[in-house]
Amino acid sequence: MKDLDKKSKQYLLDSIRDVKDFPKPGVVFKDITTLLNNKDAFNLLLDHLSSRYNDKNIDFIAGIESRGFIFAAALCARLKIGFVPIRKPKKLPYMTISQKYSLEYGVDEIEIHVDAFGGIKNARVLLIDDLIATGGTAKASVDLIKQAGGSCIEACFLIDLLDLGGSEDLKNMVNVYSVLEV
C-alpha cells in the first residue's frame, strides 16, 4: 500500500473538516481532529505511512509541535522507532538548540534537544507534520535536525496547501512527500 488510490485520498480528505474564518477572517482552517477520531480514516493513513516508511531504515521520527506529534508518535509505535519532539521555546526540559524562522509578520522559533538522536551519528530522521503552508517551520525543523547531528531523509505532511508554495521551497533542502494536496 505504498501509494494511495484516488478513492482513498478522497476518503481521507472528506474526513477533514474545514472551519471558515479560523483563526482569523478569510482563513479556511483544515481541522484534522475529525480524521483523528475516525478510526477507519486514521488507520488508513497510518497503514499507508507505515507501508511507505517501513523499509527506509529510519532511526527516528521528528514531529513538529503540536499536531505533528500525533502522527509522529503513532507512526513511531508502528515502526518501533524513537520519537523526537520539535517544540516552541522553553517547552523542552533539557539543553536545546534553537532555530528562528520568518513569519508573515515577524519571527518565531523552535527547539530540539541537543541529544535528540541519542548519540547516533547521522541518524536517519523522518520529519512529519499535519500540514505545510509557507514552509517556514518545516525548513527550520530540517535545519535543527542537521544541527543536532541527524540527516533528514524526508519531510512528510498529511496536507500540502499548494497555493502557498512551502513544499516547493522545502524541496530545495529535502525530499517532500504529502499524502493530500489541496
Side-chain angles (χ1 to χ4, degrees):
M1 183 206 269
K2 290 208 183 211
D3 293 321
L4 281 180
D5 60 29
K6 192 173 184 177
K7 183 179 176 184
S8 296
K9 285 185 179 191
Q10 190 61 52
Y11 177 68
L12 290 175
L13 192 58
D14 290 345
S15 73
I16 298 167
R17 172 175 43 206
D18 285 347
V19 180
K20 293 180 181 173
D21 298 322
F22 183 82
K24 62 184 184 179
V27 173
V28 178
F29 185 83
K30 297 292 185 189
D31 179 10
I32 62 155
T33 61
T34 50
L35 180 147
L36 296 172
N37 70 22
N38 176 334
K39 67 179 175 25
D40 295 326
F42 192 40
N43 276 294
L44 172 65
L45 175 63
L46 288 174
D47 288 346
H48 169 62
L49 294 177
S50 296
S51 173
R52 179 175 177 81
Y53 294 111
N54 190 46
D55 61 353
K56 300 282 189 199
N57 298 316
I58 298 168
D59 297 308
F60 297 92
I61 299 175
I64 300 172
E65 185 172 340
S66 66
R67 290 176 299 273
F69 289 4
I70 299 164
F71 299 112
L75 188 55
C76 282
R78 288 211 178 179
L79 298 179
K80 298 179 177 21
I81 59 176
F83 167 70
V84 173
I86 295 178
R87 300 212 59 190
K88 293 177 181 172
K90 300 185 187 333
K91 299 288 185 181
L92 293 170
Y94 189 63
M95 291 184 290
T96 61
I97 303 165
S98 65
Q99 181 70 41
K100 293 184 181 190
Y101 60 97
S102 296
L103 297 170
E104 188 176 354
Y105 299 104
V107 175
D108 211 342
E109 187 174 9
I110 53 174
E111 296 181 338
I112 193 171
H113 278 135
V114 296
D115 61 352
F117 307 124
I120 297 173
K121 282 192 161 239
N122 297 311
R124 292 176 54 81
V125 182
L126 171 66
L127 176 66
I128 196 165
D129 204 2
D130 67 323
L131 182 140
I132 183 163
T134 60
T137 309
K139 289 187 280 187
S141 296
V142 171
D143 285 340
L144 276 179
I145 289 167
K146 186 175 181 179
Q147 289 176 49
S151 174
C152 187
I153 58 116
E154 190 162 83
C156 174
F157 305 93
L158 172 58
I159 302 168
D160 182 353
L161 299 178
L162 293 172
D163 289 346
L164 297 177
S167 62
E168 285 305 312
D169 286 346
L170 187 60
K171 286 177 184 174
N172 294 322
M173 300 175 73
V174 66
N175 292 328
V176 176
Y177 174 68
S178 300
V179 178
L180 305 170
E181 296 177 331
V182 179

